[in-house]
Amino acid sequence: DSGVTQTPKHLITATGQRVTLRCSPRSGDLSVYWYQQSLDQGLQFLIHYYNGEERAKGNILERFSAQQFPDLHSELNLSSLELGDSALYFCASSGGISGTARGNYEQYFGPGTRLTVT
Amino acid sequence: EDQVTQSPEALRLQEGESSSLNCSYTVSGLRGLFWYRQDPGKGPEFLFTLYSAGEEKEKERLKATLTKKESFLHITAPKPEDSATYLCAVQAMWETSGSRLTFGEGTQLTVNP
């Protein structure tokens, strides 16, 4: 158990709908990352938040957005869903920002949310 | 652009048959190279971080090594419970805030009893 929690475990929804995925990082971790894993693309970085602020963006679609709240949990919002958005969505957390102890670079992943768009 | 290539894509071993998985990378300044284990439908499980060429890390039957261009994950006398997909990822030095990991496609390892 990594200490990172994600809800829900599974989500089935229709095209055009909007969903929210939730992540709670490990106790004490300030950084939250979101990744998408699909069969044809492997694990792809979406976005990184540190202590409530957006720090880096990857190949995240404009239909997707995220935020990190004062209690450090994070939500990933996916809207106008398409069939191709079906994937596993993982959240990871780490301890801090660059320049701090090396262990802070290690990212610990949650169990994921399996999204199926029909 | 950072790139990670893992080989082979799939590997079948008999229990006790040692082997190595390869991870080749190109990155504009390596901060760290990470190995993860992933079981089907589960989240990646952190195994090792390597920071500089020549560094080695060990955990049970697994040993990870790093050169300037690639990393190897050596599996000694594997058991069926070692069956999983092994993922390699890099983090670039220029990434602020200990940011994104760039992953390879993984090596799917099957260990037969």
Side-chain angles (χ1 to χ4, degrees):
Chain A
D1 184 355
S2 66
V4 178
T5 61
Q6 289 186 248
T7 56
K9 274 190 166 181
H10 303 278
L11 204 47
I12 301 174
T13 190
T15 54
Q17 295 299 304
R18 172 190 170 95
V19 297
T20 298
L21 282 53
R22 182 188 169 105
C23 166
S24 293
R26 293 186 314 162
S27 177
D29 282 357
L30 300 177
S31 277
V32 169
Y33 310 81
W34 286 96
Y35 291 85
Q36 179 192 56
Q37 187 175 40
S38 55
L39 282 175
D40 59 346
Q41 291 228 325
L43 263 167
Q44 300 287 318
F45 168 76
L46 295 177
I47 198 164
H48 168 210
Y49 275 83
Y50 171 76
N51 203 20
E53 289 185 12
E54 181 185 305
R55 286 302 180 108
K57 261 185 174 179
N59 297 325
I60 187 166
L61 299 170
E62 284 192 13
R63 301 183 284 109
F64 295 2
S65 65
Q67 56 185 138
Q68 186 179 27
F69 295 86
D71 67 351
L72 302 177
H73 91 271
S74 178
E75 292 180 357
L76 179 67
N77 300 296
L78 315 176
S79 61
S80 302
L81 285 167
E82 302 175 359
L83 295 177
D85 297 327
S86 296
L88 274 165
Y89 290 84
F90 291 105
C91 163
S93 74
S94 71
I97 61 175
S98 60
T100 55
R102 276 178 163 180
N104 289 334
Y105 302 147
E106 295 165 0
Q107 295 182 20
Y108 292 85
F109 283 75
T113 293
R114 181 176 294 279
L115 174 66
T116 303
V117 183
T118 62
Chain B
E1 186 180 325
D2 305 336
Q3 284 196 322
V4 178
T5 303
Q6 292 188 244
S7 62
E9 286 185 19
L11 181 63
R12 283 187 176 275
L13 299 173
Q14 287 300 122
E15 185 171 1
E17 180 187 1
S18 302
S19 188
S20 296
L21 313 182
N22 177 264
C23 170
S24 298
Y25 64 90
T26 54
V27 63
S28 52
L30 179 72
R31 170 179 287 136
L33 184 140
F34 302 78
W35 282 99
Y36 287 85
R37 169 195 169 123
Q38 187 176 26
D39 293 303
K42 305 287 176 90
E45 174 191 345
F46 172 77
L47 293 174
F48 305 108
T49 312
L50 301 166
Y51 292 102
S52 54
E55 191 174 356
E56 298 182 353
K57 294 254 178 96
E58 282 190 70
K59 179 180 179 179
E60 295 180 358
R61 296 176 291 282
L62 300 176
K63 179 179 174 181
T65 62
L66 181 65
T67 72
K68 288 188 177 179
K69 292 184 179 180
E70 55 192 350
S71 177
F72 293 93
L73 185 65
H74 307 277
I75 304 177
T76 302
K79 298 183 177 182
E81 53 261 42
D82 295 322
S83 297
T85 296
Y86 290 85
L87 298 167
C88 171
V90 296
Q91 190 175 71
M93 189 73 72
W94 60 268
E95 289 281 356
T96 58
S97 311
S99 194
R100 78 190 72 192
L101 296 178
T102 299
F103 281 87
E105 295 290 317
T107 293
Q108 186 174 358
L109 174 67
T110 303
V111 182
N112 296 315

